[in-house]
Amino acid sequence: MFTSKEGQPVPEVTFKTRKNDKWVNLNSNDIFSGKSVIIFGLPGAYTPTCSSAHLPRYEELFGAFNQQGIDDIYCLSVNDAFVMNS
């Protein structure tokens, strides 16, 4: 089991992402700096459990998380950018 990283800064990394059919580098500081965030991962996009339970539950609880000081929730997946954009 992984331990919580609550209160720790997100490490500085560069994400290779797709935006408007072009590759764009996004730095973690540009995304997360000055925010309290939740980052969770999914084993795959469109898998039954991920689509029906994991992702919807974070959406349902966003208001409660926001009241506790969470600014954003980010989902990471091992799928390629084309699948994730869908």
Side-chain angles (χ1 to χ4, degrees):
M1 193 77 178
F2 292 106
T3 58
S4 173
K5 300 294 183 183
E6 184 176 342
Q8 295 183 15
V10 174
E12 185 173 351
V13 297
T14 299
F15 297 102
K16 308 271 187 208
T17 64
R18 294 285 290 180
K19 186 173 184 177
N20 299 324
D21 296 325
K22 295 186 183 199
W23 286 106
V24 177
N25 290 337
L26 290 177
N27 184 281
S28 57
N29 289 338
D30 295 334
I31 301 169
F32 304 117
S33 183
K35 295 180 183 178
S36 291
V37 300
I38 293 173
I39 301 172
F40 71 100
L42 297 176
Y46 306 116
T47 60
T49 302
C50 295
S51 295
S52 66
H54 296 148
L55 186 56
R57 190 68 176 142
Y58 279 99
E59 290 176 330
E60 290 171 18
L61 293 173
F62 179 73
F65 288 131
N66 191 248
Q67 289 177 353
Q68 297 297 314
I70 299 298
D71 298 305
D72 291 315
I73 299 174
Y74 292 90
C75 173
L76 300 176
S77 181
V78 297
N79 293 98
D80 62 72
F82 304 103
V83 170
M84 295 302 291
N85 281 334
S86 292

